Amino acid sequence: MAVIAFHGDPLVKAQALDRLQRHVTAGSFVYFPAWENGNANVIGAVVEADDTPAYAERLGYPLALAETLPMLVNGFRPQPEAVRFALAWLERTPVGADLTTIVSQLVLDLLANADLVKLTERYPDVEQSRQAIMALHRRAIDGDEPDRKTWKAARLAAVAATDAVDEAALERRAAQVVEAAAWPGTMRTVLRDTLNGLGTAELHLSLSEAGWTEENESRVFHIRQQAETDGYKAELSGLDRVLAILDADHPALAEQFRVRLDLMEESSARYRALAWKAIELMEQAPIAATRLAAQ
């Protein structure tokens, strides 16, 4: 069944934009929660409820895409950037665009990630699963949607491949990304889980290559916790306080911690890149009437 943006009705788009803009103007647009005490996130602003399926149904977006939208918005900081993206999401989605294959296109983009491939290629069964699942998403894009039995077989193979990788290994996280993608684009969480898994895998790979360890993470945590107990540098707060403490007492760790922060920011860029990619794909999607006329 085709998924048509705004059900081909410009008034549906206009109403959604108006509701979102009203929250932006009123200062009640937030990252989360979706709908509480007059505040609303990108979903709640439109449907005035914490109801992602209602958002997808009302506006004609694939449910998996709507489910991922708050995560995408959360990747934009500070908030004015999140607002800019949220408005662009609606403004740049063409009325009547056939969004049926958008989710599979985005999943393919994630599965082709170079860092992911670097890890999956170390385990032949994991790499085989990656390629097999990409092939199924390509079939769906071409209009030959695999049946449930085919998806299940691919998913079971991916689970088996994941289970064969040591739990502490980075490759295990990569295998879990492949496993998360082993669902059709109609599955509510397929895009969200694949994106989240890839973001986590990339971050851990980057941190490992930079020499940041779990011991470092634990050490910073305990230093911060002790400072809270002692009231050390209490004139500062949040990240500024942590950096001030590390600079004063642990300069080598402070330098490493700044590298960690930079890598965290690079990880957020993955979410922003996919966010703009989604908009570009929607802009390029065929308009339903045009597609029907060609059939």
Side-chain angles (χ1 to χ4, degrees):
M1 181 176 172
V3 183
I4 308 302
F6 308 115
H7 306 287
D9 187 347
L11 292 178
V12 173
K13 177 175 181 174
Q15 184 185 59
L17 269 167
D18 178 67
R19 289 185 173 184
L20 176 58
Q21 186 63 65
R22 273 189 279 145
H23 280 281
V24 170
T25 302
S28 56
F29 177 80
V30 295
Y31 289 104
F32 57 88
W35 182 251
E36 184 177 281
N37 299 324
N39 293 324
N41 77 348
V42 67
I43 299 294
V46 173
V47 297
E48 299 181 338
D50 184 357
D51 194 340
T52 300
Y55 177 96
E57 172 59 30
R58 183 176 300 180
L59 301 190
Y61 285 101
L63 180 55
L65 195 59
E67 179 72 19
T68 310
L69 180 56
M71 180 187 291
L72 299 179
V73 173
N74 195 53
F76 290 88
R77 303 295 171 113
Q79 194 177 55
E81 286 302 301
V83 168
R84 183 171 76 90
F85 170 74
L87 289 169
W89 178 270
L90 293 175
E91 289 169 347
R92 291 173 56 181
T93 302
V95 173
D98 187 341
L99 307 181
T100 309
T101 66
I102 293 293
V103 172
S104 281
Q105 291 181 68
L106 291 171
V107 171
L108 276 178
D109 185 76
L110 295 173
L111 288 178
N113 176 267
D115 286 333
L116 179 69
V117 175
K118 184 192 303 184
L119 295 172
T120 59
E121 284 183 337
R122 298 173 187 172
Y123 283 79
D125 287 348
V126 176
E127 174 60 13
Q128 183 177 345
S129 283
R130 186 186 72 86
Q131 294 187 24
I133 291 164
M134 290 182 75
L136 294 184
H137 282 289
R138 290 193 189 99
R139 280 180 55 185
I141 292 169
D142 292 339
D144 179 26
E145 177 65 58
D147 58 25
R148 294 177 61 183
K149 183 178 179 181
T150 302
W151 278 112
K152 183 176 181 180
R155 189 159 53 253
L156 290 175
V159 170
T162 298
D163 289 345
V165 181
D166 186 271
E167 288 189 11
L170 279 171
E171 292 83 359
R172 175 84 172 209
R173 294 185 183 277
Q176 289 169 335
V177 176
V178 176
E179 188 179 322
W183 295 89
T186 52
M187 172 65 178
R188 176 171 177 168
T189 62
V190 61
L191 180 58
R192 183 198 69 190
D193 290 349
T194 305
L195 173 59
N196 190 52
L198 178 60
T200 300
E202 279 189 306
L203 177 59
H204 279 79
L205 177 61
S206 297
L207 291 173
S208 175
E209 291 176 341
W212 184 262
T213 66
E214 291 293 334
E215 289 76 16
N216 293 139
E217 196 74 35
S218 178
R219 190 177 170 198
V220 171
F221 173 80
H222 288 296
I223 289 170
R224 180 174 185 172
Q225 193 174 50
Q226 188 63 49
E228 292 286 348
T229 301
D230 299 341
Y232 184 41
K233 294 194 181 293
E235 70 277 9
L236 300 172
S237 62
L239 189 57
D240 289 338
R241 185 178 185 183
V242 175
L243 289 170
I245 294 168
L246 295 179
D247 285 337
D249 303 333
H250 311 277
L253 184 59
E255 184 177 348
Q256 289 179 295
F257 187 67
R258 282 186 166 84
V259 172
R260 171 196 179 277
L261 293 177
D262 289 341
L263 292 174
M264 292 285 289
E265 174 56 28
E266 289 177 14
S267 178
S268 295
R270 157 61 50 198
Y271 295 82
R272 295 192 295 274
L274 190 81
W276 292 118
K277 175 77 171 182
I279 288 180
E280 291 171 3
L281 288 174
M282 291 190 292
E283 288 180 317
Q284 297 164 10
I287 301 303
T290 302
R291 182 170 181 172
L292 291 173
Q295 291 179 347

